[in-house]
């Protein structure tokens, strides 16, 4: 898809079809994450791909807000090994590295007709316990992956309204030229 159309077509999807995600599409989105830039090319990202319905249910249960997550055929858990990234000016770049790679996944998914939704509302400790994630690894984000349902659930519509998801600030609110 042409880049501008791709960016415009992406939106957070919270209602999914049961249809499984094809192996080739899953590999395509993961491959796009693999090509992301990172701090000193450290590639600190790690991804857990959850397809098992019982595991999906357990992970979804770690977030009151995002219980609907279990209905997606795949859950992606984006993690980082902070030792493979850096810190400068008090900023921990493992979040940036994983953020870039995860957004590659999000855009690649939209490119092949799959929905995603960045999720930050989860209990990291519980997610790590459910998935057996080692102590030194951080969980940065979760996302469902699957085919968007033809009709958005009422809950999905409510969240979009509360989050005012279509609203974006105009450029003049956040771009400064030459000086702040
Ligand atoms: C870091 C981050 C965390 C988010 N956490 C959640 C979340 O826990 N639950 C949820 O339903 N949406 C979550 N979202 C999705 C945002 O609400 C959504 O991106 C925003 O409303 C804009 O809507 P759009 O993605 O449809 O364009 C998160 C997005 C980001 C980038």
């Amino acid at each position: 898809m042409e880049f501008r159309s791709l960016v415009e077509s992406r939106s957070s999807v919270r209602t999914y079809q049961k249809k499984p995600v094809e192996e080739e599409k899953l590999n395509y989105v993961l491959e796009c994450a693999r090509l992301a830039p990172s701090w000193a090319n450290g590639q600190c990202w790690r991804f857990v791909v959850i397809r098992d319905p019982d595991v999906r249910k357990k992970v979804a249960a770690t977030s009151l807000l995002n219980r609907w997550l279990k209905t997606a055929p795949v859950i992606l858990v984006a993690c980082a090994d902070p030792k493979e990234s850096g810190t400068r000016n008090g900023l921990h770049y493992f979040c940036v590295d994983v953020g870039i790679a995860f957004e590659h996944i999000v855009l690649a998914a939209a490119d092949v007709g799959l929905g995603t939704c960045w999720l930050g509302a989860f209990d990291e400790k519980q997610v790590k316990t459910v998935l057996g994630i080692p102590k030194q690894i951080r969980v940065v984000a979760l996302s469902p992956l699957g085919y968007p349902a033809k009709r958005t659930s009422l809950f999905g519509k409510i969240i979009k309204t509360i989050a005012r998801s279509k609203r974006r600030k105009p450029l003049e609110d956040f771009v400064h030229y030459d000086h702040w």
Side-chain angles (χ1 to χ4, degrees):
M1 208 187 295
E2 189 258 324
F3 188 71
R4 174 79 192 226
S5 311
L6 176 64
V7 170
E8 285 178 353
S9 75
R10 184 222 57 86
S11 74
S12 293
V13 176
R14 297 181 180 87
T15 326
Y16 287 87
Q17 297 177 32
K18 284 203 171 75
K19 184 179 168 181
V21 173
E22 298 85 343
E23 205 65 24
E24 313 83 70
K25 290 195 177 181
L26 179 62
N27 287 335
Y28 170 66
V29 302
L30 293 169
E31 180 64 19
C32 288
R34 197 174 76 81
L35 300 175
S38 59
W39 176 282
N41 204 19
Q43 303 163 56
C44 71
W45 46 71
R46 306 284 185 275
F47 295 99
V48 183
V49 179
I50 311 172
R51 286 179 285 202
D52 182 316
D54 289 336
V55 184
R56 280 193 277 131
K57 219 178 275 176
K58 283 183 190 152
V59 168
T62 67
S63 172
L64 202 62
L65 182 70
N66 298 315
R67 267 168 205 248
W68 53 268
L69 186 56
K70 63 174 182 279
T71 64
V74 177
I75 296 175
L76 299 173
V77 183
C79 307
D81 184 343
K83 284 203 307 298
E84 293 187 359
S85 188
T87 303
R88 189 66 58 87
N89 301 316
L91 290 177
H92 300 288
Y93 279 89
F94 72 85
C95 282
V96 177
D97 293 342
V98 174
I100 296 168
F102 213 35
E103 187 61 10
H104 275 206
I105 287 182
V106 163
L107 292 174
D111 188 34
V112 293
L114 293 169
T116 55
C117 180
W118 268 88
L119 299 176
F122 58 88
D123 184 312
E124 184 183 21
K125 211 168 147 203
Q126 286 182 37
V127 170
K128 286 179 75 163
T129 303
V130 168
L131 300 176
I133 294 173
K135 207 168 166 221
Q136 75 278 11
I137 301 295
R138 297 298 309 269
V139 181
V140 177
L142 268 57
S143 176
L145 179 74
Y147 288 94
K150 300 274 181 270
R151 292 183 57 178
T152 307
S153 66
L154 180 64
F155 178 78
K157 284 181 187 154
I158 290 170
I159 293 272
K160 275 199 185 289
T161 308
I162 293 170
R164 298 200 288 159
S165 291
K166 285 269 168 265
R167 183 185 157 271
R168 291 296 187 273
K169 293 175 181 172
L171 286 182
E172 56 269 27
D173 279 14
F174 61 89
V175 182
H176 305 267
Y177 292 97
D178 299 326
H179 295 92
W180 181 269

